[in-house]
Amino acid sequence: MESQASAALEPARALTDHLMEEVCQRDNLNRAYDRVKANQGAPGIDGLTVDELLPWIRGHKQELLSSLLDGSYRPSAVRGVSIPKPGGDERQLGIPTVMDRLVQQAIRQVLTPVLDPTFSASSYGFRPGRGAHQALLKAKEYVAAGRAFVVDADLEKLFDLSSWCPPKSERC
């Protein structure tokens, strides 16, 4: 089996020199806008709604493109929201601004076809055309083939700061 790192380093499969130019292509940005519009969602910290996004873009398109291309674009802080979970706990969510969601989607559309082929065939989370049902079917195949272990890793709290930082750490 080919290593993921070596696959990513092959010239034919490596990242191109002009990714941000691809991100800024009109068709790519239009597809990203359509996706953000379809997903709707709450406004971020700036209060800009999905319905206000297109008029904002029309008035600031050149400024946005220039900042993406020259590297000066900086995402805004996310708006923190707590939602209730079954059992009484709360789940923290971070809501990016709609502009940041547009930029993230445009970048995702360019990077996914480049990077996804380098991912493990055993990875099912947050990948196009893959999900929990496919993972369960694969686990069922493994059990039927006589494999003794199937690993299901739930990374629910992986990104909690408290789990990454030792007490009294100045870095976190």
Side-chain angles (χ1 to χ4, degrees), residues 27-71:
D27 288 346
N28 187 54
L29 288 170
N30 285 338
R31 284 187 298 120
Y33 171 80
D34 289 343
R35 185 70 183 261
V36 169
K37 180 82 171 156
N39 287 343
Q40 286 298 313
I45 199 165
D46 63 357
L48 188 73
T49 67
V50 172
D51 291 334
E52 297 168 327
L53 179 59
L54 186 58
W56 188 95
I57 292 170
R58 286 183 177 140
H60 299 87
K61 182 170 97 175
Q62 219 34 62
E63 176 186 333
L64 172 64
L65 292 173
S66 294
S67 69
L68 289 169
L69 292 169
D70 70 18

Side-chain angles (χ1 to χ4, degrees), residues 1 3 7 13 16 18 75 87 123 128 163 172:
M1 177 174 251
S3 89
R13 293 168 69 185
T16 67
H18 304 288
S123 173
S163 67
C172 297

Side-chain angles (χ1 to χ4, degrees), residues 6 25 27 30 36 42 47 49 56 58-59 68 72 92-93 97 101 124 136 138 140-141 166-167:
S6 66
Q25 291 292 316
D27 288 346
N30 285 338
V36 169
T49 67
W56 188 95
R58 286 183 177 140
L68 289 169
S72 64
Q92 276 296 116
L93 291 181
T97 65
R101 294 198 303 258
Y124 288 87
L136 287 172
K138 184 54 84 173
K140 186 177 176 182
E141 282 179 35

Side-chain angles (χ1 to χ4, degrees), residues 6-172:
S6 66
L9 293 175
E10 289 178 28
R13 293 168 69 185
L15 298 176
T16 67
D17 291 332
H18 304 288
L19 285 175
M20 196 51 75
E21 286 80 0
E22 291 180 45
V23 168
C24 292
Q25 291 292 316
R26 181 185 184 113
D27 288 346
N28 187 54
L29 288 170
N30 285 338
R31 284 187 298 120
Y33 171 80
D34 289 343
R35 185 70 183 261
V36 169
K37 180 82 171 156
N39 287 343
Q40 286 298 313
I45 199 165
D46 63 357
L48 188 73
T49 67
V50 172
D51 291 334
E52 297 168 327
L53 179 59
L54 186 58
W56 188 95
I57 292 170
R58 286 183 177 140
H60 299 87
K61 182 170 97 175
Q62 219 34 62
E63 176 186 333
L64 172 64
L65 292 173
S66 294
S67 69
L68 289 169
L69 292 169
D70 70 18
S72 64
Y73 180 86
R74 295 292 179 264
S76 300
V78 297
R79 182 166 67 94
V81 177
S82 295
I83 60 169
K85 288 173 62 175
D89 286 343
E90 288 189 340
R91 179 177 174 209
Q92 276 296 116
L93 291 181
I95 302 174
T97 65
V98 292
M99 180 54 56
D100 288 344
R101 294 198 303 258
L102 173 80
V103 171
Q104 290 168 7
Q105 180 63 34
I107 292 170
R108 179 182 177 272
Q109 291 170 178
V110 170
L111 290 182
T112 296
V114 174
L115 296 177
D116 193 67
T118 70
F119 295 163
S120 168
S122 299
S123 173
Y124 288 87
F126 303 101
R127 293 187 58 200
R130 291 174 174 246
H133 290 110
Q134 290 87 357
L136 287 172
L137 289 172
K138 184 54 84 173
K140 186 177 176 182
E141 282 179 35
Y142 289 152
V143 170
R147 295 201 183 173
F149 298 98
V150 174
V151 177
D152 175 19
D154 185 354
L155 306 177
E156 175 184 356
K157 302 214 184 249
L158 179 67
F159 296 105
D160 289 357
L161 280 179
S162 59
S163 67
W164 283 68
C165 303
K168 299 180 183 176
S169 172
E170 293 182 23
R171 293 184 1 199
C172 297

